[in-house]
């Protein structure tokens, strides 16, 4: 199946759904004006390639509150600071070049052992043709990096372990259930626009109020990350659903 690589197209497909819209961070195409206004409004944003995987090329940009420098950006483990917006933006354009980028409201993610983490929610069509959340796993960023992706040095951790220091057991169950339902709603909405897909991976970030934010939706999610869970039945189920073929359409009865 063809992958929808454009983050912009996927975001717009989800924005048309009233229930989902409230969980999508403000996202715009990267221009000097859009970046300046969003930094003034949010203080911190993420600048992402419209097309890209594994967190490659993601930039964290901030409007600094103290010190002689007013602007900062970080890519990989490299940080640069600037005294004025013009020099800051010019330096960014040398990184982004002429490629299409998006600027997204920054979410101050919860941390585990002083490292940011987000959550991958795997949603797949089950044998009955219904959407089902089959796996949830936490992704902890490599120390010093801004992205949580496993392929960029992130660590895969059981979601309950990440939430233990933030929520009670009952609160954890409620939040996990909420993310599971949100994942199914997202999958149903995307399938209306892109009917061929049978699985999606939803990356969810939690802020300090425990609100889930949809950071990104992957139409070709890596199933093998679930091998890292102690409960091997999750990985087996994910792989079993991945191998399912689309139901064969019934032939029309002859008149």
């Amino acid at each position: 199946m063809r992958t929808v690589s454009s983050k912009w197209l996927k975001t717009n497909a989800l924005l048309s759904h009233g229930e989902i819209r409230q969980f999508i961070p403000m996202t715009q195409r990267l221009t000097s004006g859009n970046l300046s206004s969003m930094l003034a409004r949010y203080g911190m944003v993420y600048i992402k390639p419209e097309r890209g995987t594994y967190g490659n090329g993601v930039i964290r940009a901030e409007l600094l509150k103290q010190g002689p420098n007013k602007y900062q950006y970080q890519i990989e483990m490299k940080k640069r600071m600037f005294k004025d917006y013009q020099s800051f933006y010019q330096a960014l354009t040398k990184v982004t070049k002429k490629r299409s980028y998006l600027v997204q409201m920054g979410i101050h993610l919860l941390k585990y052992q002083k490292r940011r983490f987000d959550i991958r929610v795997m949603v797949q069509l089950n044998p009955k043709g219904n959407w089902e959340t089959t796996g949830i796993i936490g992704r902890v960023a490599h120390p010093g990096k801004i992205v949580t992706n496993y392929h960029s040095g992130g660590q895969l951790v059981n979601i309950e372990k990440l939430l233990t220091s933030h929520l009670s057991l009952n609160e954890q169950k409620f939040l996990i259930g909420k993310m599971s339902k949100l994942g199914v709603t997202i999958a149903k909405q995307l399938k209306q626009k892109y009917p061929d897909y049978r699985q999606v991976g939803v990356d969810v970030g939690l802020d300090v109020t425990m609100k889930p934010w949809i950071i990104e939706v992957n139409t070709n999610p890596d199933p093998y990350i679930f091998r890292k869970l102690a409960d091997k039945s999750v990985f087996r189920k994910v792989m079993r659903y991945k191998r399912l073929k689309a139901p064969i359409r019934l032939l029309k009865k002859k008149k």
Side-chain angles (χ1 to χ4, degrees), residues 8-186:
W8 183 248
L9 292 179
K10 287 181 282 188
T11 297
N12 283 314
L14 296 178
L15 281 170
S16 63
H17 191 287
E19 181 183 345
I20 298 173
R21 190 184 304 121
Q22 63 183 308
F23 300 107
I24 300 177
M26 170 66 76
T27 305
Q28 296 181 325
R29 288 196 178 277
L30 177 62
T31 65
S32 178
N34 285 345
L35 178 58
S36 179
S37 62
M38 287 186 69
L39 278 173
R41 182 174 181 180
Y42 301 115
M44 186 270 288
V45 298
Y46 282 90
I47 302 168
K48 305 177 176 183
E50 182 180 347
R51 292 174 171 83
T53 57
Y54 305 143
N56 294 326
V58 174
I59 304 164
R60 178 184 169 107
E62 296 179 74
L63 177 59
L64 302 175
K65 296 180 179 179
Q66 297 178 345
N69 296 303
K70 292 188 65 177
Y71 298 93
Q72 172 182 288
Y73 75 75
Q74 178 179 351
I75 182 168
E76 293 288 338
M77 299 182 73
K78 181 180 179 180
K79 294 182 180 180
R80 292 192 64 188
M81 295 183 179
F82 304 85
K83 292 182 178 180
D84 61 85
Y85 183 78
Q86 184 178 1
S87 58
F88 163 75
Y89 188 74
Q90 285 179 346
L92 274 176
T93 59
K94 292 180 181 179
V95 176
T96 60
K97 298 181 180 178
K98 294 185 179 181
R99 292 169 293 179
S100 178
Y101 272 71
L102 306 178
V103 55
Q104 186 179 77
M105 179 185 85
I107 307 301
H108 293 279
L109 297 175
L110 290 184
K111 293 184 178 181
Y112 172 75
Q113 296 180 349
K114 299 182 179 180
R115 295 156 61 187
R116 301 180 188 93
F117 72 84
D118 64 13
I119 298 152
R120 165 60 61 88
V121 180
M122 185 74 155
V123 189
Q124 299 171 286
L125 282 177
N126 64 23
K128 294 183 179 180
N130 299 318
W131 285 106
E132 180 182 337
T133 294
T134 50
I136 298 181
I137 193 168
R139 310 185 307 172
V140 183
H142 180 280
K145 287 193 175 183
I146 60 173
V147 296
T148 61
N149 302 69
Y150 178 65
H151 299 279
S152 297
Q155 180 184 359
L156 300 169
V157 180
N158 182 284
I159 182 61
E160 288 84 2
K161 187 174 183 179
L162 296 178
L163 295 178
T164 294
S165 62
H166 300 282
L167 297 171
S168 68
L169 184 59
N170 286 335
E171 289 171 333
Q172 289 180 45
K173 290 180 179 178
F174 177 81
L175 179 60
I176 291 171
K178 184 176 182 178
M179 289 189 291
S180 296
K181 291 178 182 177
L182 179 60
V184 169
T185 304
I186 289 169

Side-chain angles (χ1 to χ4, degrees), residues 218-240:
N218 193 325
T219 53
N220 187 27
D222 181 3
Y224 295 98
I225 61 174
F226 293 97
R227 285 188 300 188
K228 299 294 182 178
L229 291 175
D231 183 358
K232 301 305 178 185
S233 66
V234 174
F235 176 63
R236 290 195 294 269
K237 186 174 189 178
V238 167
M239 293 305 295
R240 187 168 72 250

